[in-house]
Amino acid sequence: MSVGKREVLSLYKALLRESQKFSSYNYREYALRRVRDGFKAGRNLTEAEDQHRELQIAKESLAVIKRQVVIGQLYRSPNLIIEK
């Protein structure tokens, strides 16, 4: 069974939204770049098994990003020059 386009798009948007919440510029940009690159790389997957595996990895990544955002907010560092 193929992965639904709506589910993939929803997960992609959730990952981008959560990545935007990083307080650190470097972490934020890194996470956004990794999300975009990961979904571009998975765009051409045709096997249902591969699609499901990558979807599961993306869901686990979303959980990690959510935890890291909370930790980052607890231990904030001063803003970088580029952020001002």
Side-chain angles (χ1 to χ4, degrees):
M1 183 176 158
S2 180
V3 176
K5 194 173 191 177
R6 183 173 283 161
E7 181 182 8
V8 172
L9 185 59
S10 174
L11 183 58
Y12 178 69
K13 287 181 179 181
L15 281 161
L16 289 177
R17 245 188 324 271
E18 284 300 316
S19 296
Q20 285 287 352
K21 293 179 182 178
F22 276 112
S23 58
S24 169
Y25 173 81
N26 290 327
Y27 287 129
R28 185 172 51 247
E29 291 302 313
Y30 174 76
L32 290 169
R33 188 172 48 252
R34 290 283 296 165
V35 168
R36 289 184 189 117
D37 291 347
F39 274 83
K40 281 182 188 175
R43 179 183 296 167
N44 299 323
L45 293 176
T46 55
E47 298 293 323
E49 185 177 311
D50 294 338
Q51 291 173 349
H52 285 289
R53 184 183 66 249
E54 292 299 318
L55 190 65
Q56 187 61 37
I57 290 170
K59 287 178 182 178
E60 292 169 5
S61 296
L62 179 59
V64 169
I65 290 172
K66 285 181 179 184
R67 284 192 303 270
Q68 289 304 118
V69 165
V70 170
I71 291 170
Q73 290 171 349
L74 291 173
Y75 302 101
R76 286 188 83 116
S77 60
N79 287 344
L80 300 174
I81 299 288
I82 197 166
E83 296 179 278
K84 295 181 182 181

